[in-house]
Amino acid sequence: MALRCGIVGLPNVGKSTLFNCLSGAKAQAANFPFCTIDPNVGTITVPDERLNTLAALVHPEKVVPTSVEIVDIAGLVKGASQGEGLGNKFLANIRETDAIVHVLRCFDDENVTHVDGTVDPVRDKEIIDCELQLKDLDTVETRIGKVRKQAQTGGDKQAQTALDVLLQYKAALEQGKPARAVRFDGKDDEKIARELFLLTNKPVLYVCNVDEASAVSGNKYVDAVRRAVREEDAELLVVAAKIESEIAELETYAERELFLGELGLQESGVNRLVKTAYRLLNLETFLTAGPQEVRAWTYRKGSKAPRCAGIIHTDFERGFIRVEVIKYDDFVRLGSESACREAGKINVEGKDYVVQDGDIMHFRFNV
C-alpha cells in the first residue's frame, strides 16, 4: 500500500525545503512564487526500529522497510480555485494524494519575502482552506445539477442518496467548513462520499515551520495556529525545516543523533512527520521475517488476514487458508521462530483474524 502525501501551502513558506529533507531530493528552493512548477516526487522510508531488532536476530539477506511517497506541490495563491497562478494544475495534483501536509510559515526572516507582505500563519491557512473549499463547492454544485433530475424524475433511489450526500456537503462548504467535517452513518453514503474525491475530505497535517530557537517549544505563531485548528479533525506538528535539511545532510546516524540532542529534540521532524501521517491515515504495519528478508508491510487498521495477505500478493488473498502469527514482543524475547514454536507462541488464525500492528505473519495459501 503506497502512501502519497502532498505538501501544500502559500509560496515561500518552506515547502520545498521540507521536501528536500524528507526525500533527500534537491528540489529548487528559491525566494519567489511558483519556483516549483511541476510536482517533485520523492520517496522516504518509514522509520521502524523493529526492523533493525528483527534483522539482528534473523540475519536476513536484506531488510525492506515500507515507504511514503512525498509530492511537493507548487505554492497556491488566492484565486487558485478559479485558475489563478496555475491553480487548476496544482489543485489536480492535490486531488491525487492520500493526505495533505499543509506547511505554514511560523518564523520571521526579512530576507525571505512573504507573498502577502507579513507573517500570519492563520491567515495563510484560511487562504488555502478557502481555495480548496471553493473548488469542492464547484465540484459538488456541478454534481447536484446532474443528480437532482435523476432523483426527482426517475425515482432512482441511488440518485436520491447521492443527492442527499451532496446537499450535506454543500451546506458544510457554504458555512466555510471542510468536507471532512460531515459524517455519514450508512455504507452507501460513505461510498458515494469517497467517490467524490473532494479536496477538503482528505486528512490534513499542519506543519508549523519555525526557526531553530522555536524547534522544541514553538512560538506565538504556533500557538495561534493551534488555537485555530483545535476543533478540526487534524494533526499539528512543529518542524524547523531549515535545521532538518541540515540534519539530513549529515553522513552518519551518530552525527544526526548528536545534532538532535544539541537542539533538545529526541527525534527528527522527518520521522515524526511520517509517523504522524500514518496515524492520520489510520495505517499500521505487519512484518514478515525470514532468512531472505525482514520486511514491513502497510495495511489499513482493522483489516483482516486475507486482505493483508493480498498486500503481499493477490494469490495469497485469493487462495488464503490460514496465517501463522507471532507477536513481535514474543519473537524478540525468545529470539527465533523455532523458539516461539517450541514455547507455543505461534497462533494459527483464520479468515476473520483482525491483524494487529507489529504482527509477524506467515501466510498459508493454495491457488
Side-chain angles (χ1 to χ4, degrees):
M1 178 185 293
L3 170 63
R4 188 177 175 94
C5 293
I7 302 178
V8 305
L10 292 180
N12 298 344
V13 298
K15 299 184 311 302
S16 293
T17 302
L18 180 63
F19 171 82
N20 286 343
C21 62
L22 279 170
S23 67
K26 301 299 176 188
Q28 183 185 7
N31 184 23
F32 56 88
F34 309 121
C35 162
T36 310
I37 301 301
D38 294 317
N40 292 282
V41 180
T43 301
I44 178 172
T45 57
V46 177
D48 193 333
E49 297 79 5
R50 295 172 299 191
L51 291 175
N52 293 330
T53 301
L54 288 176
L57 296 171
V58 177
H59 305 294
E61 294 177 11
K62 60 181 179 178
V63 177
V64 185
T66 188
S67 63
V68 174
E69 197 168 77
I70 302 293
V71 185
D72 179 24
I73 298 171
L76 296 176
V77 295
K78 289 180 181 178
S81 60
Q82 304 300 318
E84 291 293 329
L86 304 180
N88 287 333
K89 185 175 182 180
F90 300 163
L91 291 168
N93 291 331
I94 296 172
R95 198 178 300 280
E96 295 170 358
T97 63
D98 299 301
I100 294 173
V101 177
H102 187 164
V103 182
L104 297 166
R105 176 173 170 175
C106 295
F107 64 89
D108 293 308
D109 188 339
E110 61 184 17
N111 295 317
V112 180
T113 60
H114 191 289
V115 70
D116 284 330
T118 58
V119 177
D120 186 342
V122 174
R123 176 203 59 206
D124 295 352
K125 169 193 172 308
E126 291 172 349
I127 289 172
I128 299 295
D129 286 349
C130 183
E131 293 305 324
L132 298 183
Q133 288 165 11
L134 286 171
K135 189 65 177 179
D136 279 350
L137 186 58
D138 179 61
T139 299
V140 166
E141 289 179 335
T142 300
R143 290 292 298 273
I144 287 175
K146 295 177 181 178
V147 171
R148 175 170 274 145
K149 185 177 292 185
Q150 294 175 321
Q152 292 176 343
T153 63
D156 188 332
K157 290 185 178 180
Q158 187 173 0
Q160 184 60 56
T161 301
L163 181 60
D164 291 343
V165 169
L166 290 163
L167 290 174
Q168 289 184 65
Y169 275 143
K170 183 174 186 292
L173 292 164
E174 287 178 337
Q175 294 172 32
K177 298 178 180 178
R180 62 182 175 276
V182 181
R183 292 285 183 264
F184 300 104
D185 295 328
K187 290 185 178 180
D188 290 342
D189 291 355
E190 292 177 352
K191 182 175 183 294
I192 291 168
R194 285 195 303 271
E195 291 173 349
L196 290 170
F197 297 106
L198 297 180
L199 302 173
T200 62
N201 219 3
K202 296 181 182 296
V204 175
L205 167 60
Y206 293 105
V207 173
C208 293
N209 184 18
V210 301
D211 54 19
E212 180 178 343
S214 306
V216 176
S217 56
N219 55 32
K220 63 180 181 180
Y221 297 127
V222 175
D223 293 339
V225 174
R226 189 172 280 117
R227 289 192 297 271
V229 306
R230 63 177 177 266
E231 295 184 2
E232 291 190 31
D233 184 15
E235 297 272 358
L236 184 146
L237 200 64
V238 177
V239 173
K242 185 176 180 181
I243 298 301
E244 291 288 336
S245 66
E246 294 177 12
I247 293 172
E249 294 290 335
L250 296 175
E251 293 294 329
T252 68
Y253 176 80
E255 288 177 311
R256 292 192 288 271
E257 287 294 295
L258 181 61
F259 197 157
L260 286 170
E262 291 173 351
L263 293 173
L265 297 171
Q266 295 182 341
E267 190 174 23
S268 74
V270 171
N271 285 9
R272 289 185 288 122
L273 191 152
V274 175
K275 289 178 179 179
T276 304
Y278 256 54
R279 184 170 67 249
L280 193 66
L281 284 168
N282 208 26
L283 300 175
E284 293 182 334
T285 304
F286 73 86
L287 308 165
T288 53
Q292 292 186 328
E293 68 175 22
V294 166
R295 184 163 184 160
W297 305 86
T298 300
Y299 70 95
R300 191 79 59 186
K301 186 177 181 179
S303 296
K304 293 184 178 180
R307 176 66 61 87
C308 289
I311 294 171
I312 298 177
H313 197 286
T314 54
D315 284 349
F316 284 25
E317 181 175 10
R318 187 159 54 93
F320 179 89
I321 299 173
R322 63 183 182 276
V323 60
E324 295 181 348
V325 181
I326 305 174
K327 296 302 178 183
Y328 171 80
D329 288 343
D330 287 336
F331 195 106
V332 173
R333 178 171 55 84
L334 295 170
S336 68
E337 180 179 334
S338 59
C340 289
R341 194 175 299 278
E342 289 176 7
K345 293 297 182 180
I346 296 182
N347 297 324
V348 178
E349 305 288 354
K351 293 182 177 180
D352 292 330
Y353 177 69
V354 178
V355 177
Q356 304 297 306
D357 185 57
D359 279 353
I360 300 171
M361 309 183 77
H362 184 194
F363 295 100
R364 301 292 186 180
F365 71 102
N366 182 33
V367 178

